Amino acid sequence: MAIQGSYQMRAIRLWLYAVAALVLAMVLIGGATRLTESGLSITQWQPVMGVVPPLNETQWQAEFEKYQAIPQYRELNRGMGLDAFKTIYWWEWTHRLIGRTIGAVFLLPLLWFLWRGWIGPGLRTRLWLIFGLGALQGAVGWWMVASGLANRVEVSQYRLATHLGLAGVIYIAILWTAQRLDEQPARPAPSRIRATAFGLLVLVLGQIYLGALVAGLRAGYVYNTWPSIDGAFVPDASRLFFDVPIWRNFFENTLTVQFDHRMLAYTIWAVALIHAFNAARIMKGGPIVAGAIALAVAVTLQAALGVFTLLMVVPISLALLHQTMAMIVLTVATLHASGLAERKTHAQPAKTRAIWKIAE
């Protein structure tokens, strides 16, 4: 989406980057919430009234009693005191507050930009779609939490992975849209360089989804050897696919899920290195080569961190750093791919005096 230079478009671009930063913060706070077992501490979904936390001891005790009624408390945290409950409550409350903040920070400026006539039809559609995904994410978040309020002591790994995967999609959409508002034209590159950059972005998003499955199954706490897993580089098929129907192994078998996460990590690392080598060989320098090398370096660091985190049996500090690095990799992959995307433009009149060129 190429747009004729203007301070209005720069303002919109900076607004989108600010929203992306909030989404990034929410993902990281969400990771801390999960690792501290705080996600089920608030047992009701109150999109408006939930903004106000308990304000006195009576209200705190009422919230604590709601938590004491769910399986996680009875089976994992029986005997927890009110002060300990307050700690996990604040993690979840902060996570939800950031979600609400993102909604307001996105919607209110969007309405103002529309009122001012700064946004043409093509961009308007993209932005409303992103807002719709954000609203869906709130519903998915509660759908995830609800899975842990009865008959389980944690949320469903299916729903956790859906929640994190959708967060990744929203993050990519915001960054991609902001990047395409830049006045600079698309960087010319051979089709295979462009295709590999897009492919890496998809693979990184898929790896984040698999990482959520690993987290949801607590699969990182078992098979803590490397490069072998369950005694071999490739475990026996009878161990990988013992569940029926066979597809369930890819979501519920801790060995299969961790093995898939490892194999995709190796694949991404190899493709990223080859991509950087080809870009350097063909392009002979420039921003495309710099982006490809940055992505290869980020992927290498993340792979090494993943191995170290596994060998150390997933301490919270390393697990948080691993998730943070995953989002950095996703950021680099998104900016690299979006910079290579082809841009078709056409003039679009606006209500202001400027004429924007907006690409569908």
Side-chain angles (χ1 to χ4, degrees):
M1 184 180 299
I3 296 180
Q4 184 174 323
S6 67
Y7 79 91
Q8 289 95 337
M9 290 301 105
R10 286 194 294 272
I12 293 173
R13 192 164 64 248
L14 290 175
W15 159 62
L16 288 173
Y17 283 135
V19 175
L22 285 173
V23 173
L24 176 60
M26 187 171 184
V27 171
L28 300 182
I29 292 294
T33 300
R34 176 184 56 79
L35 288 166
T36 55
E37 303 286 355
S38 304
L40 299 178
S41 58
I42 301 178
T43 60
Q44 293 178 313
W45 189 33
Q46 298 176 309
V48 178
M49 297 304 297
V51 174
V52 182
L55 300 176
N56 54 53
E57 287 305 301
T58 300
Q59 292 178 358
W60 274 114
Q61 190 61 44
E63 289 298 318
F64 189 26
E65 289 173 0
K66 293 174 186 176
Y67 178 67
Q68 289 173 316
I70 70 172
Q72 186 182 82
Y73 173 82
R74 296 195 303 267
E75 298 181 31
L76 295 182
N77 292 328
R78 182 176 293 276
M80 170 186 279
L82 182 59
D83 287 340
F85 170 72
K86 289 180 180 180
T87 298
I88 63 173
Y89 183 97
W90 283 122
W91 274 115
E92 176 63 8
W93 182 84
T94 301
H95 183 55
R96 296 191 187 193
L97 179 64
I98 295 175
R100 295 180 174 99
T101 301
I102 292 172
V105 170
F106 192 94
L107 180 60
L108 297 180
L110 173 60
L111 293 176
W112 191 84
F113 292 140
L114 290 171
W115 176 67
R116 296 291 295 174
W118 290 7
I119 299 176
L123 179 57
R124 184 187 310 146
T125 300
R126 288 174 179 266
L127 294 177
W128 279 121
L129 177 59
I130 292 172
F131 180 76
L133 289 175
L136 176 63
Q137 176 71 328
V140 169
W142 173 247
W143 177 63
M144 175 190 70
V145 170
S147 69
L149 299 180
N151 305 319
R152 299 176 63 102
V153 297
E154 73 287 307
V155 300
S156 161
Q157 74 273 19
Y158 291 96
R159 301 187 187 189
L160 174 65
T162 301
H163 189 50
L164 184 57
L166 182 56
V169 170
I170 293 169
Y171 185 66
I172 290 170
I174 295 171
L175 280 182
W176 192 286
T177 301
Q179 184 81 343
R180 300 295 295 278
L181 294 178
D182 196 333
E183 296 86 356
Q184 299 299 319
R187 298 161 187 160
S191 58
R192 66 172 173 171
I193 297 296
R194 184 178 292 110
T196 307
F198 297 156
L200 278 167
L201 177 58
V202 173
L203 290 176
V204 169
L205 183 61
Q207 180 70 331
I208 289 174
Y209 179 87
L210 286 180
L213 289 178
V214 170
L217 289 170
R218 296 198 176 31
Y221 295 99
V222 292
Y223 310 112
N224 299 102
T225 59
W226 185 83
S228 66
I229 177 172
D230 197 33
F233 185 77
V234 178
D236 188 85
S238 63
R239 297 271 293 155
L240 286 172
F241 305 113
F242 71 84
D243 208 352
V244 291
I246 195 169
W247 64 264
R248 293 182 58 182
N249 291 279
F250 296 98
F251 301 94
E252 300 178 17
N253 183 337
T254 54
L255 176 61
T256 307
V257 169
Q258 193 193 120
F259 177 72
D260 290 345
H261 192 52
R262 291 188 186 200
M263 292 299 105
L264 186 54
Y266 299 148
T267 300
I268 293 172
W269 181 65
V271 174
L273 290 180
I274 294 171
H275 176 64
F277 174 78
N278 285 335
R281 179 176 59 85
I282 296 171
M283 306 301 294
K284 309 297 183 182
I288 295 176
V289 175
I293 292 174
L295 181 56
V297 170
V299 168
T300 301
L301 290 175
Q302 173 68 338
L305 180 59
V307 171
F308 188 53
T309 302
L310 180 73
L311 295 176
M312 296 297 292
V313 197
V314 198
I316 289 181
S317 58
L318 286 179
L320 281 174
L321 185 58
H322 188 49
Q323 181 162 329
T324 301
M325 194 65 206
M327 293 304 295
I328 292 174
V329 172
L330 184 63
T331 302
V332 176
T334 301
L335 296 178
H336 179 54
S338 64
L340 290 169
E342 294 182 355
R343 307 178 188 187
K344 299 178 181 179
T345 66
H346 65 271
Q348 171 65 43
K351 295 179 182 177
T352 60
R353 295 180 181 178
I355 299 295
W356 319 131
K357 292 181 179 178
I358 301 180
E360 295 293 344

